[in-house]
Structure formats: structure tokens, C-alpha cells
Amino acid sequence: MSFDLSEEKAIQDKSLLNLSYLNLLKGHATEHNYRFDFIISKPQDKRLYKSYENAIGLLELADTPKKIVTEKNLKEYSEETIQVLLQH
């Protein structure tokens, strides 16, 4: 998910929408042992970093099985994913 949007409100709206989806899908995810993985990229405009951090904070509020992967954790996440796929 990219938060490379031009306005703070757009970032907030996108995070709230996804938080709502997570909350709606919680029962289904728990019942079927699903986890939602979010690969999130920063906005290019540094003035929007605070909104980006707030958006991640909102997603973390969801009590749904999820993993939030930022750009700095992408390599580790990729390696973990490869290992899981090799096991199946």
C-alpha cells in the first residue's frame, strides 16, 4: 500500500478505510487462520511523514491478524516469505 499521496487527508482517509476493512474481516480471518500483510511505502514528500506514521498507527489498532511491513523491513519479509513458500 502506498501512502505516497499529495495531502494529509488522503493518507488519513486511506488508513481509515483499510482499518475498517480489517475490522470487518476480523472474524473471517480468525476463523480461517488468515493474516493480512501490508507492505507500506513512505510518501516522497517529507512533510507528510507525520501523517504516514499516524496512518501506520491506525492500522496497528486493528485487532485483526496482520503484519505491517515497511520499506526498511522489506528484505527480511521477503526472505521469510520465501522460506514459508519453500515449506509448502
Side-chain angles (χ1 to χ4, degrees), residues 20-72:
S20 298
Y21 287 145
L22 284 171
N23 288 332
L24 286 171
L25 294 169
K26 178 185 176 185
H28 187 75
T30 303
E31 181 180 332
H32 296 284
N33 198 30
Y34 293 160
R35 180 182 79 190
F36 299 100
D37 292 0
F38 288 88
I39 299 172
I40 302 176
S41 64
K42 282 184 183 180
Q44 292 180 23
D45 185 344
K46 292 180 181 182
R47 294 176 294 166
L48 298 174
Y49 280 9
K50 178 111 172 110
S51 293
Y52 163 81
E53 294 294 334
N54 290 340
I56 290 175
L58 278 175
L59 292 174
E60 289 173 342
L61 290 175
D63 189 27
T64 305
K66 68 188 167 311
K67 182 169 189 156
I68 298 173
V69 181
T70 59
E71 293 165 330
K72 66 181 178 183

